[in-house]
Amino acid sequence: MTIEQVSANRSHGGIQSVHTHHSTATGTPMTFSVFVPDHAEGEKLPVLWYLSGLTCTHANVTEKGEFRAACAQHGIVFVCPDTSPRGDDVPDDEGYDFGKGAGFYVNATQAPWAANFRMRDYIEQELPALVAAHFPVDMARQGITGHSMGGHGALTIGLRNAGRFRSVSAFSPIVSPLNCPWGEKALGGYLGPDKAAWREYDACALIADGARVPDLLVDQGDADGFLADQLKTHLLEEACASAGQPATIRMQAGYDHSYYFISTFMADHVAWHAERLKA
């Protein structure tokens, strides 16, 4: 499990770095960023995974997310993977919402996507093993968060792996791909027409089917142009209420879908995770 360092910069007393490696899950090179705050020699720190949204790479949140001050304050390693496999030989789609930049954190089963689009295995298995081998992280203290498509990823991965993550949060998540155009296109294309196979990639369906986490935190802007047709936050509120899943779901007045919104509430999320990731 070798990695190559692309860059490293001092920031808020820690190191912000970017790395590449060859992924066995996707069969392609993959890139991710890591912020490691200052810490005592030999100390292991909790880790917070951030999953990005449609069209994004690791770079969007790394450059715009404004997480480093909060992570330095609370002593949290922050890991940001890419959203899909990349490369000239990787299949793609003309739309922004499918193919490269839009992996939806699933293991595709349909041709031609199945060979490379295995982002579930990459995020749940390969990247955690790689990070544990190369960075000072305490894998008994993991949290996960994300934005939009990445919020969908954070919720579903957290719900499917409840024993692994002490904390799960999201910004503007796609809460039910079974019930929105983005999800219908992506899950139909990657997994085929049988919607029963989609349920493990739908947070509301997972909760209805019995999956639980200790708590959820979700922030959603009420001026988000995708709220009504794609994100449908009310479906998550209804699913949590019906199942008794603890959740704090906050509608933030005047905020849209952008990193202006994410960066405003990032420190709140880091602090919320930090409270739950204490030793």
Side-chain angles (χ1 to χ4, degrees), residues 198 237 250:
W198 300 12
E237 293 178 307
R250 308 186 298 197

Side-chain angles (χ1 to χ4, degrees), residues 110 201 276:
Q110 304 299 299
Y201 297 109
R276 288 153 180 79

Side-chain angles (χ1 to χ4, degrees), residues 5-41:
Q5 182 173 287
V6 176
S7 64
N9 299 92
R10 189 77 164 154
S11 182
H12 291 279
I15 298 294
Q16 176 66 66
S17 58
V18 176
H19 305 266
T20 63
H21 70 105
H22 181 80
S23 168
T24 57
T26 68
T28 67
M30 294 295 289
T31 303
F32 64 97
S33 73
V34 182
F35 176 70
V36 179
D38 191 25
H39 59 285
E41 184 175 355

Side-chain angles (χ1 to χ4, degrees), residues 115-276:
N116 304 115
F117 282 75
R118 303 191 64 79
M119 290 300 293
R120 174 178 177 174
D121 282 354
Y122 181 69
I123 298 297
E124 291 186 354
Q125 299 176 29
E126 184 176 10
L127 188 59
L130 196 70
V131 168
H134 291 276
F135 297 93
V137 294
D138 178 358
M139 298 300 280
R141 293 187 288 159
Q142 297 185 65
I144 191 167
T145 187
H147 170 238
S148 193
M149 179 186 72
H152 140 77
L155 293 177
T156 56
I157 290 170
L159 285 161
R160 288 195 308 263
N161 298 274
R164 180 185 301 183
F165 298 101
R166 292 194 188 182
S167 53
V168 180
S169 77
F171 303 88
S172 314
I174 303 169
V175 305
S176 185
L178 278 159
N179 293 289
C180 73
W182 279 342
E184 291 172 1
K185 179 177 181 178
L187 299 188
Y190 293 135
L191 305 177
D194 181 6
K195 291 191 175 184
W198 300 12
R199 293 186 68 84
E200 62 185 325
Y201 297 109
D202 184 297
C204 293
L206 284 166
I207 291 169
D209 292 345
R212 298 288 184 273
V213 292
D215 199 2
L216 291 175
L217 173 63
V218 172
D219 274 308
Q220 171 65 57
D222 70 0
D224 189 325
F226 299 114
L227 176 57
D229 294 332
Q230 302 284 11
L231 307 178
K232 300 187 177 183
T233 309
H234 68 279
L235 295 179
L236 182 63
E237 293 178 307
E238 292 165 6
C240 290
S242 177
Q245 165 64 56
T248 300
I249 301 174
R250 308 186 298 197
M251 297 299 295
Q252 303 291 358
Y255 285 92
D256 60 16
H257 201 67
S258 72
Y259 270 89
Y260 295 109
F261 160 65
I262 299 166
S263 62
T264 299
F265 298 98
M266 180 65 83
D268 286 354
H269 280 242
V270 172
W272 184 87
H273 285 276
E275 181 65 27
R276 288 153 180 79

